[in-house]
Amino acid sequence: MTRIAPQRFPSLSSRKPASNLTLSGVVLTLALGLALVPTAPALAVDFAPHAVYPTADFPFGVATGDLDGDGYPEIVAVDMDGLTVLPALRDGTFGPAMSYPMEETRTVVVGDFDDDGHDDVVVQRQSQTQPPMAFLRNQGDGTLAAPIPFGTSHPIGGPTIVSDFDEDDALDLAVHDAANGRILVYLGNGDGSFADEAPYTVSGNTYPSDIAAFDADGDGDLDIAFTAVLDDTPAGILWGNGDGTFGSTTSFSTYTVTEVGLAAGDIDGDHDDDLVVLDFSANKLRVYRNDSTGAFSVTEEYSPGISIQLGARPSLADFDLDGDLDVVLFGFSESSVVVFVNDDTGGFAGPDIFSATGSTTMMTIADLDQDYDPDIVVSDRFNHQVAVLLDLQSSPAEVPSGAPSVVDAGSVLRPPTPNPTLGPTTIRLDLPGATAISLAVFDAQGRLVRTLEDGSRRLDAGTTTFEWDGRDDAGREVAGGVYLVRMTTGDEEPRSTRVVVAR
């Protein structure tokens, strides 16, 4: 039973909507009449003033995960001298740092790599005298055992992501070895060990760039999107075969040299994953929409309001809790993060700029205070700290502690039972009249996990029940944690209720 911390690594973890999946045979078509979207007022999203927490010197990579099993994620940061864990105090604040000395660590990911129900840690190291990767097993009390090294090829300069590339319910890794133009894939054995890396050449030698796992063409297999900064290779896709191996690459972009960070997710609600990409030369956020076959076209560009530099990256999360993925980005070495709020069509309002810390170098997203909205963590390498921005969004549609949610005159969404659940859970709707509804499950980041009813038919008046089996749309068992069940009907505001999946 696999648990994966719900965040983008390196930091966002990587199953599409509780899994992040695939494409194949893609042809890129550039949109005619590419629009540079003018700055628009951002919609309702706000964050508390950032709080900073000291780490060891020069923290770079940052991730989150519930190491001590209390339901609240810890912050894990890596630096030149090792690994720092900031224990969660269950209110969105963090206690004194715990340090784990290691040599030249650069990126970090969190997940249950040994399938024992506890989140573990994997770090990437830049040292040429040590193996390039190390696994730190959770000892069951939130502390980490001594690192177990693995790997032979030393990746230089790129992020690490987590996913299940061979669909065996054991977590795998992909690392962007940017300086050598490769993606290294480490298939997990489910016990904390990994097979030897499989290298895939995707470009020439590049500056540190970005990768993301997703299902571009909807065939259920995970592919990897990549950028290739300062190389003549346009951003592209390494096609997955579904068994942990990968085949050819195809470019989804015609821009070379200047595209840096990217993120994948369904931004327009059409049930396939799109891409957002940062361009440091044009200083733009660029949107590539998926036509559902794995062909992408550029539809919009947005000015971020800060300087996009080498190393900048975006992430996707539902900050305003409306069921649509919003964009957050950092410019690298800037003192702010930028949020673009989804307008419900895949377009974005913004930018909305929030002070973060002196010099942002990496970012991750998680619900730190367990109030069911996503929060932001950034590392500040040059000031030796991380900064936390707590999302102040509260959902008036959320169902409190077992109470039913009235959607419109007499329509009721009732809390799932059982709740918490170890397996299937039942959701009951009471409808006063025949109507079409949409019912879906989202993770704590606002990513779509499972569509239970898509609104394409009218349901009869009376009581209707739906069963969610604890799996995503690809049939994969979801991680333990808190999920939102959201119902919409007509033009009414969505209503949500919570379900806790115990693993």
Side-chain angles (χ1 to χ4, degrees):
M1 189 125 4
T2 300
R3 279 176 77 231
I4 180 168
Q7 64 213 9
R8 178 181 185 280
F9 294 111
S11 96
L12 178 65
S13 92
S14 298
R15 292 183 175 179
K16 178 181 179 175
S19 70
N20 247 351
L21 310 177
T22 312
L23 44 146
S24 82
V26 51
V27 178
L28 171 72
T29 305
L30 273 182
L32 297 176
L34 170 63
L36 174 58
V37 181
T39 299
L43 304 179
V45 61
D46 198 10
F47 293 87
H50 68 268
V52 297
Y53 297 91
T55 65
D57 289 345
F58 301 106
F60 191 86
V62 64
T64 61
D66 182 13
L67 300 184
D68 59 6
D70 67 350
Y72 291 80
E74 277 66 51
I75 296 174
V76 184
V78 290
D79 52 67
M80 295 300 291
D81 298 319
L83 182 145
T84 298
V85 175
L86 295 168
L89 299 182
R90 304 189 184 188
D91 59 359
T93 65
F94 295 84
M98 299 184 293
S99 297
Y100 295 85
M102 296 180 66
E103 184 179 350
E104 295 186 43
T105 54
R106 181 176 176 86
T107 69
V108 58
V109 292
V110 178
D112 184 5
F113 296 102
D114 57 2
D115 199 23
D116 66 351
H118 303 290
D119 282 340
D120 311 299
V121 173
V122 170
V123 298
Q124 177 199 135
R125 297 193 281 198
Q126 296 298 291
S127 170
Q128 298 299 305
T129 63
Q130 299 285 336
M133 309 293 291
F135 167 69
L136 289 84
R137 192 185 308 273
N138 191 326
Q139 300 185 100
D141 59 359
T143 63
L144 301 173
I148 301 173
F150 64 95
T152 57
S153 297
H154 285 80
I156 302 174
T160 303
I161 60 174
V162 181
S163 205
D164 181 11
F165 295 113
D166 53 1
E167 303 177 18
D168 65 350
D169 286 332
L171 295 182
D172 310 313
L173 303 169
V175 181
H176 196 190
D177 180 12
N180 295 302
R182 304 181 302 174
I183 295 174
L184 308 178
V185 176
Y186 300 83
L187 296 181
N189 296 318
D191 60 0
S193 67
F194 295 85
D196 291 341
E197 66 269 23
Y200 297 91
T201 299
V202 296
S203 69
N205 298 347
T206 75
Y207 187 87
S209 304
D210 206 0
I211 55 176
F214 75 135
D215 182 6
D217 59 358
D219 67 354
D221 300 327
L222 280 168
D223 314 300
I224 300 175
F226 63 88
T227 57
V229 183
L230 304 183
D231 182 67
D232 290 335
T233 304
I237 297 155
L238 175 64
W239 299 101
N241 298 319
D243 60 358
T245 65
F246 292 81
S248 62
T249 62
T250 307
S251 296
F252 66 80
S253 171
T254 59
Y255 298 89
T256 60
V257 178
T258 61
E259 291 187 320
V260 283
L262 60 79
D266 181 12
I267 65 171
D268 52 8
D270 63 354
H271 305 293
D272 52 50
D273 280 344
D274 311 294
L275 295 166
V276 295
V277 181
L278 299 180
D279 187 316
F280 78 88
S281 178
N283 209 56
K284 296 289 186 287
L285 169 69
R286 190 168 289 139
V287 176
Y288 290 86
R289 298 209 196 195
N290 191 338
D291 72 352
S292 80
T293 69
F296 292 81
S297 58
V298 183
T299 54
E300 300 95 14
E301 289 182 333
Y302 298 88
S303 296
I306 63 171
S307 175
I308 299 300
Q309 301 180 41
L310 293 172
R313 291 189 174 95
S315 288
L316 297 171
D318 182 11
F319 292 107
D320 58 355
L321 303 182
D322 65 349
D324 302 307
L325 288 175
D326 310 307
V327 178
V328 60
L329 61 91
F330 69 96
F332 198 86
S333 295
E334 288 277 334
S335 60
S336 303
V337 295
V338 176
V339 175
F340 286 91
V341 178
N342 198 313
D343 66 3
D344 299 328
T345 70
F348 295 94
D352 207 343
I353 301 174
F354 299 92
S355 174
T357 184
S359 179
T360 57
T361 46
M362 197 54 66
M363 175 177 64
T364 190
I365 312 297
D367 182 8
L368 301 175
D369 50 4
Q370 295 300 289
D371 63 350
Y372 310 101
D373 52 33
D375 308 305
I376 299 171
V377 183
V378 296
S379 58
D380 179 356
R381 188 177 189 184
F382 300 111
N383 290 297
H384 319 301
Q385 61 191 15
V386 298
V388 171
L389 290 82
L390 296 179
D391 190 346
L392 297 179
Q393 179 71 29
S394 59
S395 174
E398 192 177 312
V399 180
S401 61
S405 174
V406 178
V407 177
D408 53 21
S411 297
V412 175
L413 167 64
R414 298 192 179 277
T417 56
N419 189 11
T421 178
L422 291 169
T425 189
T426 300
I427 304 152
R428 194 178 82 185
L429 315 178
D430 296 330
L431 303 176
T435 187
I437 65 104
S438 295
L439 187 68
V441 181
F442 297 84
D443 67 13
Q445 283 184 264
R447 299 177 299 184
L448 177 66
V449 172
R450 181 72 174 270
T451 299
L452 301 174
E453 180 68 28
D454 64 6
S456 62
R457 60 177 179 144
R458 291 177 65 83
L459 302 181
D460 293 336
T463 298
T464 301
T465 59
F466 293 86
E467 183 178 271
W468 179 40
D469 60 3
R471 296 181 178 272
D472 64 19
D473 278 328
R476 302 165 187 248
E477 192 173 70
V478 303
V482 178
Y483 293 82
L484 296 183
V485 180
R486 183 168 290 132
M487 174 183 176
T488 57
T489 178
D491 295 327
E492 297 294 326
E493 287 292 319
R495 294 296 186 267
S496 302
T497 188
R498 312 170 190 174
V499 59
V500 177
V501 176
R503 297 294 191 213

